[in-house]
Amino acid sequence: MERNDALQIVKKHLTDKRYEHTLGVMETAVHLAETYGADVKKAELAAIFHDYAKFRPKEEMKQLIIDEQMDERLLQFHHELWHAPVGALLVQREVGITDEEILAAIRWHTTGRPKMTLLEKIVYLADYIEPGRRFPGVDDVRGIAAHHLDDAVLTAVKNTIFFLMSKRQPVFPATMDTYNDLIQNGEDV
Ligand code: DGI
Ligand code: FE
Ligand code: FE
């Protein structure tokens, strides 16, 4: 699928602000894919569709999580987490993308997971550092991302966990698992 066709499809599902964010994630993901030798077209498509389900009604997402036997623990956590796995399903179903690498990058873009693929790391990180993002620590991660992909992902996950803890928010197991995996199996940071 060509970039412009994909953008035209996703635009209908997003607010203007979220569409701008998506363009930022797309550009950042393409750049990271070039830097780290990932498939640029796959990174581009995964980025374009990563927030496809962001504005689905909560009830619809909840039903899909149950019907499609996704991780039911999701329902005990913030609904912000649901659009990633639901998005992977709907992008396959409604847009017709079948590439499992692209779908996995969409599925894991919010929490990460242990043993992320290169493409998953790129989309996760691009979502965190795209030019429209402004939160404490993001510039550090941008700097690290230029040279050390795993370190950048680890720092982004760590910041996310700190952020959630500072707001007394629960941390989803996959987020902690991602942190542990990178700390235990990654290079020294
Ligand atoms: O969809 P975006 O806003 O572009 O970004 P995202 O898909 O990374 O979603 C970010 C939201 O998800 C943000 O409000 C923080 C939240 N989040 C990420 N990891 C966890 C989490 N929320 C909980 N409760 N637990 C997590 O582990
Ligand atoms: Fe998202
Ligand atoms: Fe996003």
Side-chain angles (χ1 to χ4, degrees):
M1 183 179 294
E2 288 304 316
R3 168 191 281 210
N4 285 340
D5 297 330
L7 286 173
Q8 215 184 334
I9 293 169
V10 84
K11 196 172 197 307
K12 294 200 268 285
H13 295 268
L14 302 177
T15 60
D16 288 351
K17 197 170 157 219
R18 184 61 40 176
Y19 183 67
E20 285 301 312
H21 161 72
T22 294
L23 293 176
V25 178
M26 178 186 78
E27 280 162 25
T28 308
V30 165
H31 182 75
L32 289 170
E34 286 166 354
T35 304
Y36 292 104
D39 185 316
V40 173
K41 288 316 253 181
K42 287 191 188 194
E44 181 177 83
L45 271 188
I48 289 172
F49 287 113
H50 84 282
D51 275 338
Y52 179 80
K54 189 82 178 173
F55 299 103
R56 290 294 162 127
K58 262 199 290 187
E59 276 312 310
E60 183 187 341
M61 290 197 283
K62 187 175 178 180
Q63 207 52 54
L64 285 169
I65 288 166
I66 295 166
D67 292 349
E68 299 298 319
Q69 291 162 31
M70 296 178 200
D71 188 340
E72 289 212 12
R73 293 175 303 181
L74 285 163
L75 302 176
Q76 312 301 322
F77 285 79
H78 202 281
H79 58 80
E80 270 289 339
L81 297 171
W82 302 353
H83 74 284
V86 169
L89 179 83
L90 294 180
V91 165
Q92 179 171 28
R93 229 181 232 180
E94 299 177 2
V95 185
I97 288 177
T98 55
D99 185 297
E100 189 45 47
E101 284 187 273
I102 294 176
L103 297 175
I106 297 169
R107 185 176 303 123
W108 300 109
H109 86 264
T110 302
T111 60
R113 66 162 165 171
K115 312 231 178 311
M116 290 167 89
T117 65
L118 178 59
L119 198 71
E120 288 167 29
K121 289 174 186 171
I122 283 173
V123 174
Y124 180 93
L125 194 56
D127 189 29
Y128 192 86
I129 64 170
E130 64 93 0
R133 294 292 207 199
R134 311 208 192 290
F135 36 69
V138 70
D139 275 331
D140 288 348
V141 182
R142 287 185 179 118
I144 302 168
H147 302 287
H148 303 287
L149 184 69
D150 282 3
D151 289 0
V153 175
L154 174 58
T155 308
V157 177
K158 193 182 74 177
N159 288 353
T160 300
I161 293 169
F162 277 151
F163 168 76
L164 291 167
M165 290 178 84
S166 76
K167 295 212 309 173
R168 296 181 63 91
Q169 288 265 334
V171 179
F172 192 65
T175 305
M176 287 309 304
D177 292 344
T178 307
Y179 171 81
N180 287 334
D181 176 63
L182 290 166
I183 278 288
Q184 291 176 317
N185 302 320
E187 292 154 37
D188 288 348
V189 182

